[in-house]
Amino acid sequence: MSSSAIHLSKATFTISAPDIRRLPEDSGIEVAFAGRSNAGKSSALNTLTNQKSLARTSKTPGRTQLINVFEIAENKRLVDLPGYGFAKVPLEMKKKWQKALGEYLEKRESLKGLVVLMDIRHPLKDLDLDLIEWAADSDLPVLCLLTKADKLSQGKCSSEVLKVKKALASLKADIKVQAFSSLKRTGADQANNVICHWFTQEDELSLAEPSIEEE
């Protein structure tokens, strides 16, 4: 099956859940989006799905308090995780979000790829690194989208991408890094291809596995 069989533009909102116990059945394939609360996560989701308001954007970072699920095909979902860091909210609320985020990452069996969004002007903060290192340890492929690339010159963007690649090279993991702009759609097609490949790659692996009868 080719990646063209998957179309992110078909994404439809399914549910908002405060924790993993309220999510759809843990089966199929999920690709999750995570990032600091001011990284432009909702805008990126809208850009990649070619929908203006699939994910709610807010001028007040940190409004995404729930795990939001979008179905793109049967048993294939995009998952918008609560933003971390920066948000001007009470500490107890931050702890609640972090718990929901941690539980999802550690226990969700259908999670097969992680998109980490970081402002290209301020990448690889401590929480970003923690998340990427966790994914590397878990053999989970990662796509780092350095957002708001329209704020920098093309040369500076290329330089920042290279710096992040070098910083993460020591993890020796499946990590891709690229510049991204929701405003100008910079990197949108490349990111779409990576995500669609994750979905179809898992299908191909499932088909390749011998059934009990064949063994």
Side-chain angles (χ1 to χ4, degrees), residues 35 55 63 70 75 104 107 111 148 157 164 188 200:
R63 285 285 175 84
F70 308 95
N75 257 351
Y104 174 84
K107 298 179 180 179
L111 176 61
K148 307 183 184 181
C157 280
V164 173
T200 55

Side-chain angles (χ1 to χ4, degrees), residues 1 6 22 27 37 39-40 50 55-56 59 70 79 81 85 92 111 127 146 180 196 200 205:
M1 183 187 291
I6 296 294
R22 312 282 182 87
S27 63
S37 56
N50 271 325
R56 294 180 182 176
K59 290 182 180 178
F70 308 95
V79 179
L81 296 172
E92 284 305 309
L111 176 61
L127 292 173
L146 304 187
F180 186 87
C196 289
T200 55
L205 288 173

Side-chain angles (χ1 to χ4, degrees), residues 10-212:
K10 292 185 177 180
T12 56
F13 174 75
T14 303
I15 193 173
S16 289
D19 53 55
I20 61 172
R21 284 163 287 283
R22 312 282 182 87
L23 290 176
E25 181 183 350
D26 192 1
S27 63
I29 304 168
E30 291 180 350
V31 171
F33 285 67
R36 294 177 68 82
S37 56
N38 57 341
K41 186 158 51 71
S42 296
S43 295
L45 267 165
N46 289 338
T47 298
L48 290 170
T49 58
N50 271 325
Q51 298 187 43
K52 290 184 178 179
S53 56
L54 181 75
R56 294 180 182 176
T57 57
S58 172
K59 290 182 180 178
T60 306
R63 285 285 175 84
T64 305
Q65 305 173 22
L66 302 168
I67 301 172
N68 295 303
V69 181
F70 308 95
E71 186 172 61
I72 59 167
E74 185 176 1
N75 257 351
K76 293 178 173 63
R77 299 173 293 274
L78 299 176
V79 179
D80 183 13
L81 296 172
Y84 52 81
F86 183 81
K88 296 178 180 178
V89 295
L91 182 60
E92 284 305 309
M93 190 174 289
K94 280 190 181 182
K95 287 180 178 178
K96 188 176 179 181
W97 297 356
Q98 294 303 108
K99 183 181 179 183
L101 177 65
E103 272 192 329
Y104 174 84
L105 293 171
E106 291 170 13
K107 298 179 180 179
R108 195 71 173 169
E109 295 292 332
S110 50
L111 176 61
K112 302 300 181 184
L114 183 65
V115 182
V116 179
L117 298 102
M118 299 176 281
D119 188 323
I120 195 167
R121 299 164 297 177
H122 316 287
L124 297 180
K125 300 288 189 182
D126 288 348
L127 292 173
D128 301 322
L129 269 173
D130 288 346
L131 185 59
I132 295 166
E133 288 172 356
W134 171 85
D137 289 342
S138 303
D139 291 323
L140 192 69
V142 176
L143 172 61
C144 292
L145 293 185
L146 304 187
T147 62
K148 307 183 184 181
D150 51 278
K151 303 287 187 183
L152 300 179
S153 68
Q154 190 170 344
K156 182 64 173 171
C157 280
S158 297
S159 174
E160 289 301 317
V161 168
L162 190 59
K163 282 182 188 176
V164 173
K165 284 182 176 178
K166 285 182 176 179
L168 298 176
S170 62
L171 295 177
K172 295 181 170 59
D174 183 0
I175 302 173
K176 294 178 174 60
V177 183
Q178 66 170 82
F180 186 87
S181 167
S182 295
L183 185 65
K184 295 187 176 180
R185 291 191 59 83
T186 305
D189 290 341
Q190 296 96 313
N192 194 301
N193 288 339
V194 171
I195 295 166
C196 289
H197 176 66
W198 286 344
F199 281 114
T200 55
Q201 185 180 46
E202 284 299 319
D203 279 343
E204 288 160 6
L205 288 173
S206 297
L207 289 171
E209 291 176 357
S211 66
I212 295 173

